[in-house]
Amino acid sequence: AVLILLLLVALDRVPSWYLAAVVARDALILLGGAYLVVGKRLVSESNWLGKWTAASVVAVMVAHTLRLGIVAAFLLGISTLLLVASAVSYGLTFARLVRTAPPAGVEGTGAGGER
């Protein structure tokens, strides 16, 4: 998706800030996920908002490739809102998991308090 967006930016069909927003969101999700896997031994699942956001990015690419004018502009606006909402959603999930999960390698205590 990033390569297609890069091409659309180069052809002046998609604004560069949109590409930057998509890349920044995806990079933060990737870095946060890597931290959870390595530091907490957790794998966080995607959510429906993230799936709708990914679909909206595809819709933006198709609409701008086909030069659908006002439809492409509308989809760009909707996708931008979804990018922000999804980033916030994943950020809140990340913060909750970091706050509540024990560090990797730390076992919980048994019923009698022994380790």
mmCIF file of all heavy atoms in Angstrom, residues 27-62:
data_model
loop_
_atom_site.group_PDB
_atom_site.id
_atom_site.type_symbol
_atom_site.label_atom_id
_atom_site.label_comp_id
_atom_site.label_asym_id
_atom_site.label_seq_id
_atom_site.Cartn_x
_atom_site.Cartn_y
_atom_site.Cartn_z
ATOM 1 N N ALA A 27 3.819 2.634 11.416
ATOM 2 C CA ALA A 27 5.099 2.495 12.123
ATOM 3 C C ALA A 27 4.890 2.437 13.628
ATOM 4 O O ALA A 27 5.513 1.624 14.327
ATOM 5 C CB ALA A 27 6.028 3.650 11.756
ATOM 6 N N LEU A 28 3.998 3.279 14.141
ATOM 7 C CA LEU A 28 3.716 3.257 15.582
ATOM 8 C C LEU A 28 3.085 1.934 16.007
ATOM 9 O O LEU A 28 3.418 1.385 17.057
ATOM 10 C CB LEU A 28 2.829 4.435 15.970
ATOM 11 C CG LEU A 28 3.508 5.799 15.924
ATOM 12 C CD1 LEU A 28 2.491 6.908 16.163
ATOM 13 C CD2 LEU A 28 4.640 5.878 16.928
ATOM 14 N N ILE A 29 2.173 1.418 15.188
ATOM 15 C CA ILE A 29 1.558 0.119 15.494
ATOM 16 C C ILE A 29 2.628 -0.974 15.473
ATOM 17 O O ILE A 29 2.668 -1.834 16.363
ATOM 18 C CB ILE A 29 0.424 -0.191 14.507
ATOM 19 C CG1 ILE A 29 -0.761 0.737 14.766
ATOM 20 C CG2 ILE A 29 -0.012 -1.655 14.611
ATOM 21 C CD1 ILE A 29 -1.850 0.663 13.710
ATOM 22 N N LEU A 30 3.506 -0.943 14.483
ATOM 23 C CA LEU A 30 4.575 -1.946 14.383
ATOM 24 C C LEU A 30 5.527 -1.864 15.571
ATOM 25 O O LEU A 30 5.846 -2.884 16.191
ATOM 26 C CB LEU A 30 5.348 -1.757 13.073
ATOM 27 C CG LEU A 30 6.524 -2.698 12.848
ATOM 28 C CD1 LEU A 30 6.031 -4.129 12.673
ATOM 29 C CD2 LEU A 30 7.324 -2.265 11.646
ATOM 30 N N LEU A 31 5.950 -0.662 15.928
ATOM 31 C CA LEU A 31 6.872 -0.505 17.053
ATOM 32 C C LEU A 31 6.219 -0.893 18.373
ATOM 33 O O LEU A 31 6.833 -1.552 19.213
ATOM 34 C CB LEU A 31 7.394 0.929 17.114
ATOM 35 C CG LEU A 31 8.329 1.338 15.985
ATOM 36 C CD1 LEU A 31 8.621 2.832 16.046
ATOM 37 C CD2 LEU A 31 9.595 0.521 16.007
ATOM 38 N N GLY A 32 4.964 -0.482 18.559
ATOM 39 C CA GLY A 32 4.243 -0.854 19.771
ATOM 40 C C GLY A 32 4.049 -2.359 19.872
ATOM 41 O O GLY A 32 4.229 -2.960 20.931
ATOM 42 N N GLY A 33 3.702 -2.981 18.760
ATOM 43 C CA GLY A 33 3.537 -4.433 18.737
ATOM 44 C C GLY A 33 4.839 -5.156 19.017
ATOM 45 O O GLY A 33 4.869 -6.152 19.754
ATOM 46 N N ALA A 34 5.938 -4.662 18.457
ATOM 47 C CA ALA A 34 7.248 -5.285 18.708
ATOM 48 C C ALA A 34 7.615 -5.169 20.184
ATOM 49 O O ALA A 34 8.123 -6.125 20.782
ATOM 50 C CB ALA A 34 8.311 -4.617 17.836
ATOM 51 N N TYR A 35 7.333 -4.013 20.785
ATOM 52 C CA TYR A 35 7.613 -3.846 22.210
ATOM 53 C C TYR A 35 6.803 -4.834 23.040
ATOM 54 O O TYR A 35 7.316 -5.442 23.987
ATOM 55 C CB TYR A 35 7.315 -2.416 22.666
ATOM 56 C CG TYR A 35 7.427 -2.265 24.161
ATOM 57 C CD1 TYR A 35 8.673 -2.124 24.758
ATOM 58 C CD2 TYR A 35 6.300 -2.303 24.974
ATOM 59 C CE1 TYR A 35 8.792 -2.012 26.135
ATOM 60 C CE2 TYR A 35 6.406 -2.191 26.350
ATOM 61 C CZ TYR A 35 7.653 -2.052 26.927
ATOM 62 O OH TYR A 35 7.770 -1.953 28.287
ATOM 63 N N LEU A 36 5.529 -4.996 22.703
ATOM 64 C CA LEU A 36 4.684 -5.925 23.460
ATOM 65 C C LEU A 36 5.166 -7.364 23.329
ATOM 66 O O LEU A 36 5.161 -8.114 24.298
ATOM 67 C CB LEU A 36 3.226 -5.811 23.005
ATOM 68 C CG LEU A 36 2.513 -4.521 23.386
ATOM 69 C CD1 LEU A 36 1.123 -4.474 22.756
ATOM 70 C CD2 LEU A 36 2.427 -4.362 24.900
ATOM 71 N N VAL A 37 5.591 -7.742 22.133
ATOM 72 C CA VAL A 37 6.071 -9.113 21.926
ATOM 73 C C VAL A 37 7.376 -9.346 22.676
ATOM 74 O O VAL A 37 7.532 -10.345 23.385
ATOM 75 C CB VAL A 37 6.250 -9.408 20.423
ATOM 76 C CG1 VAL A 37 7.022 -10.698 20.199
ATOM 77 C CG2 VAL A 37 4.889 -9.493 19.736
ATOM 78 N N VAL A 38 8.314 -8.434 22.556
ATOM 79 C CA VAL A 38 9.628 -8.612 23.174
ATOM 80 C C VAL A 38 9.598 -8.307 24.674
ATOM 81 O O VAL A 38 10.114 -9.076 25.483
ATOM 82 C CB VAL A 38 10.685 -7.730 22.466
ATOM 83 C CG1 VAL A 38 12.014 -7.782 23.190
ATOM 84 C CG2 VAL A 38 10.846 -8.166 21.022
ATOM 85 N N GLY A 39 8.983 -7.213 25.045
ATOM 86 C CA GLY A 39 9.029 -6.772 26.437
ATOM 87 C C GLY A 39 7.990 -7.394 27.340
ATOM 88 O O GLY A 39 8.199 -7.512 28.542
ATOM 89 N N LYS A 40 6.857 -7.806 26.772
ATOM 90 C CA LYS A 40 5.761 -8.321 27.591
ATOM 91 C C LYS A 40 5.323 -9.728 27.194
ATOM 92 O O LYS A 40 4.463 -10.312 27.835
ATOM 93 C CB LYS A 40 4.545 -7.388 27.497
ATOM 94 C CG LYS A 40 4.804 -5.965 27.953
ATOM 95 C CD LYS A 40 4.929 -5.883 29.441
ATOM 96 C CE LYS A 40 5.029 -4.428 29.896
ATOM 97 N NZ LYS A 40 5.026 -4.324 31.335
ATOM 98 N N ARG A 41 5.878 -10.241 26.102
ATOM 99 C CA ARG A 41 5.479 -11.552 25.574
ATOM 100 C C ARG A 41 3.976 -11.604 25.292
ATOM 101 O O ARG A 41 3.300 -12.581 25.583
ATOM 102 C CB ARG A 41 5.868 -12.685 26.527
ATOM 103 C CG ARG A 41 7.331 -12.773 26.809
ATOM 104 C CD ARG A 41 8.005 -13.671 25.787
ATOM 105 N NE ARG A 41 9.373 -13.947 26.207
ATOM 106 C CZ ARG A 41 10.416 -13.597 25.489
ATOM 107 N NH1 ARG A 41 10.267 -12.997 24.349
ATOM 108 N NH2 ARG A 41 11.627 -13.860 25.908
ATOM 109 N N LEU A 42 3.447 -10.514 24.736
ATOM 110 C CA LEU A 42 2.038 -10.402 24.372
ATOM 111 C C LEU A 42 1.913 -10.147 22.880
ATOM 112 O O LEU A 42 2.763 -9.497 22.285
ATOM 113 C CB LEU A 42 1.382 -9.222 25.088
ATOM 114 C CG LEU A 42 1.160 -9.308 26.576
ATOM 115 C CD1 LEU A 42 0.623 -7.979 27.079
ATOM 116 C CD2 LEU A 42 0.171 -10.412 26.899
ATOM 117 N N VAL A 43 0.841 -10.639 22.310
ATOM 118 C CA VAL A 43 0.511 -10.309 20.932
ATOM 119 C C VAL A 43 -0.849 -9.639 20.956
ATOM 120 O O VAL A 43 -1.836 -10.239 21.380
ATOM 121 C CB VAL A 43 0.479 -11.566 20.035
ATOM 122 C CG1 VAL A 43 0.035 -11.207 18.628
ATOM 123 C CG2 VAL A 43 1.837 -12.247 20.031
ATOM 124 N N SER A 44 -0.885 -8.400 20.552
ATOM 125 C CA SER A 44 -2.136 -7.644 20.528
ATOM 126 C C SER A 44 -2.813 -7.857 19.185
ATOM 127 O O SER A 44 -2.169 -7.810 18.139
ATOM 128 C CB SER A 44 -1.844 -6.156 20.745
ATOM 129 O OG SER A 44 -3.044 -5.429 20.742
ATOM 130 N N GLU A 45 -4.105 -8.092 19.222
ATOM 131 C CA GLU A 45 -4.858 -8.326 17.991
ATOM 132 C C GLU A 45 -5.288 -7.004 17.370
ATOM 133 O O GLU A 45 -5.424 -5.999 18.054
ATOM 134 C CB GLU A 45 -6.096 -9.158 18.304
ATOM 135 C CG GLU A 45 -5.778 -10.539 18.832
ATOM 136 C CD GLU A 45 -7.037 -11.314 19.180
ATOM 137 O OE1 GLU A 45 -8.139 -10.745 19.066
ATOM 138 O OE2 GLU A 45 -6.899 -12.479 19.549
ATOM 139 N N SER A 46 -5.531 -7.056 16.078
ATOM 140 C CA SER A 46 -6.099 -5.883 15.425
ATOM 141 C C SER A 46 -7.560 -5.758 15.846
ATOM 142 O O SER A 46 -8.157 -6.713 16.332
ATOM 143 C CB SER A 46 -5.988 -6.008 13.901
ATOM 144 O OG SER A 46 -6.722 -7.124 13.449
ATOM 145 N N ASN A 47 -8.110 -4.569 15.664
ATOM 146 C CA ASN A 47 -9.514 -4.376 16.011
ATOM 147 C C ASN A 47 -10.292 -3.970 14.761
ATOM 148 O O ASN A 47 -9.718 -3.727 13.701
ATOM 149 C CB ASN A 47 -9.665 -3.343 17.137
ATOM 150 C CG ASN A 47 -9.095 -1.995 16.792
ATOM 151 O OD1 ASN A 47 -9.133 -1.557 15.647
ATOM 152 N ND2 ASN A 47 -8.558 -1.312 17.785
ATOM 153 N N TRP A 48 -11.605 -3.909 14.887
ATOM 154 C CA TRP A 48 -12.436 -3.597 13.725
ATOM 155 C C TRP A 48 -12.161 -2.205 13.181
ATOM 156 O O TRP A 48 -12.195 -1.993 11.968
ATOM 157 C CB TRP A 48 -13.912 -3.770 14.063
ATOM 158 C CG TRP A 48 -14.291 -5.216 14.045
ATOM 159 C CD1 TRP A 48 -14.506 -6.015 15.133
ATOM 160 C CD2 TRP A 48 -14.427 -6.045 12.899
ATOM 161 N NE1 TRP A 48 -14.767 -7.303 14.721
ATOM 162 C CE2 TRP A 48 -14.732 -7.351 13.342
ATOM 163 C CE3 TRP A 48 -14.312 -5.825 11.531
ATOM 164 C CZ2 TRP A 48 -14.946 -8.412 12.480
ATOM 165 C CZ3 TRP A 48 -14.520 -6.896 10.658
ATOM 166 C CH2 TRP A 48 -14.827 -8.160 11.143
ATOM 167 N N LEU A 49 -11.866 -1.271 14.054
ATOM 168 C CA LEU A 49 -11.557 0.079 13.583
ATOM 169 C C LEU A 49 -10.299 0.063 12.711
ATOM 170 O O LEU A 49 -10.245 0.724 11.669
ATOM 171 C CB LEU A 49 -11.383 1.030 14.773
ATOM 172 C CG LEU A 49 -11.164 2.489 14.458
ATOM 173 C CD1 LEU A 49 -12.281 3.056 13.586
ATOM 174 C CD2 LEU A 49 -11.030 3.286 15.743
ATOM 175 N N GLY A 50 -9.321 -0.723 13.107
ATOM 176 C CA GLY A 50 -8.104 -0.861 12.308
ATOM 177 C C GLY A 50 -8.377 -1.498 10.955
ATOM 178 O O GLY A 50 -7.798 -1.108 9.934
ATOM 179 N N LYS A 51 -9.266 -2.471 10.928
ATOM 180 C CA LYS A 51 -9.618 -3.124 9.661
ATOM 181 C C LYS A 51 -10.362 -2.159 8.736
ATOM 182 O O LYS A 51 -10.105 -2.108 7.526
ATOM 183 C CB LYS A 51 -10.461 -4.366 9.929
ATOM 184 C CG LYS A 51 -9.684 -5.474 10.640
ATOM 185 C CD LYS A 51 -10.591 -6.640 10.967
ATOM 186 C CE LYS A 51 -9.948 -7.650 11.875
ATOM 187 N NZ LYS A 51 -8.731 -8.229 11.429
ATOM 188 N N TRP A 52 -11.296 -1.381 9.285
ATOM 189 C CA TRP A 52 -12.010 -0.389 8.493
ATOM 190 C C TRP A 52 -11.053 0.693 7.987
ATOM 191 O O TRP A 52 -11.189 1.183 6.866
ATOM 192 C CB TRP A 52 -13.141 0.245 9.302
ATOM 193 C CG TRP A 52 -14.365 -0.626 9.327
ATOM 194 C CD1 TRP A 52 -14.782 -1.428 10.350
ATOM 195 C CD2 TRP A 52 -15.317 -0.801 8.278
ATOM 196 N NE1 TRP A 52 -15.923 -2.087 10.000
ATOM 197 C CE2 TRP A 52 -16.285 -1.719 8.728
ATOM 198 C CE3 TRP A 52 -15.440 -0.265 6.996
ATOM 199 C CZ2 TRP A 52 -17.365 -2.109 7.938
ATOM 200 C CZ3 TRP A 52 -16.521 -0.659 6.219
ATOM 201 C CH2 TRP A 52 -17.461 -1.572 6.693
ATOM 202 N N THR A 53 -10.074 1.038 8.810
ATOM 203 C CA THR A 53 -9.084 2.034 8.389
ATOM 204 C C THR A 53 -8.262 1.514 7.221
ATOM 205 O O THR A 53 -8.036 2.233 6.241
ATOM 206 C CB THR A 53 -8.170 2.416 9.573
ATOM 207 O OG1 THR A 53 -8.981 2.922 10.633
ATOM 208 C CG2 THR A 53 -7.141 3.449 9.170
ATOM 209 N N ALA A 54 -7.825 0.266 7.306
ATOM 210 C CA ALA A 54 -7.061 -0.336 6.208
ATOM 211 C C ALA A 54 -7.903 -0.372 4.924
ATOM 212 O O ALA A 54 -7.399 -0.047 3.835
ATOM 213 C CB ALA A 54 -6.602 -1.733 6.589
ATOM 214 N N ALA A 55 -9.170 -0.720 5.059
ATOM 215 C CA ALA A 55 -10.052 -0.741 3.888
ATOM 216 C C ALA A 55 -10.218 0.665 3.312
ATOM 217 O O ALA A 55 -10.266 0.842 2.081
ATOM 218 C CB ALA A 55 -11.409 -1.331 4.268
ATOM 219 N N SER A 56 -10.266 1.671 4.185
ATOM 220 C CA SER A 56 -10.424 3.044 3.698
ATOM 221 C C SER A 56 -9.180 3.512 2.937
ATOM 222 O O SER A 56 -9.299 4.271 1.969
ATOM 223 C CB SER A 56 -10.751 4.000 4.845
ATOM 224 O OG SER A 56 -9.611 4.309 5.616
ATOM 225 N N VAL A 57 -8.013 3.060 3.359
ATOM 226 C CA VAL A 57 -6.774 3.414 2.650
ATOM 227 C C VAL A 57 -6.806 2.806 1.245
ATOM 228 O O VAL A 57 -6.452 3.469 0.255
ATOM 229 C CB VAL A 57 -5.527 2.958 3.439
ATOM 230 C CG1 VAL A 57 -4.258 3.125 2.611
ATOM 231 C CG2 VAL A 57 -5.415 3.729 4.751
ATOM 232 N N VAL A 58 -7.259 1.566 1.146
ATOM 233 C CA VAL A 58 -7.392 0.930 -0.167
ATOM 234 C C VAL A 58 -8.403 1.703 -1.021
ATOM 235 O O VAL A 58 -8.159 1.952 -2.210
ATOM 236 C CB VAL A 58 -7.799 -0.554 -0.026
ATOM 237 C CG1 VAL A 58 -8.129 -1.164 -1.385
ATOM 238 C CG2 VAL A 58 -6.697 -1.340 0.664
ATOM 239 N N ALA A 59 -9.522 2.087 -0.427
ATOM 240 C CA ALA A 59 -10.535 2.849 -1.161
ATOM 241 C C ALA A 59 -9.973 4.176 -1.665
ATOM 242 O O ALA A 59 -10.256 4.589 -2.801
ATOM 243 C CB ALA A 59 -11.756 3.084 -0.270
ATOM 244 N N VAL A 60 -9.167 4.833 -0.834
ATOM 245 C CA VAL A 60 -8.531 6.090 -1.259
ATOM 246 C C VAL A 60 -7.606 5.839 -2.447
ATOM 247 O O VAL A 60 -7.621 6.597 -3.430
ATOM 248 C CB VAL A 60 -7.757 6.737 -0.084
ATOM 249 C CG1 VAL A 60 -6.801 7.818 -0.565
ATOM 250 C CG2 VAL A 60 -8.734 7.300 0.933
ATOM 251 N N MET A 61 -6.825 4.772 -2.383
ATOM 252 C CA MET A 61 -5.905 4.470 -3.489
ATOM 253 C C MET A 61 -6.677 4.208 -4.784
ATOM 254 O O MET A 61 -6.315 4.716 -5.848
ATOM 255 C CB MET A 61 -5.021 3.275 -3.133
ATOM 256 C CG MET A 61 -4.021 3.571 -2.048
ATOM 257 S SD MET A 61 -2.823 2.254 -1.741
ATOM 258 C CE MET A 61 -3.873 0.917 -1.217
ATOM 259 N N VAL A 62 -7.739 3.421 -4.702
ATOM 260 C CA VAL A 62 -8.542 3.114 -5.895
ATOM 261 C C VAL A 62 -9.202 4.374 -6.441
ATOM 262 O O VAL A 62 -9.136 4.655 -7.645
ATOM 263 C CB VAL A 62 -9.597 2.027 -5.577
ATOM 264 C CG1 VAL A 62 -10.575 1.865 -6.730
ATOM 265 C CG2 VAL A 62 -8.920 0.700 -5.261
#
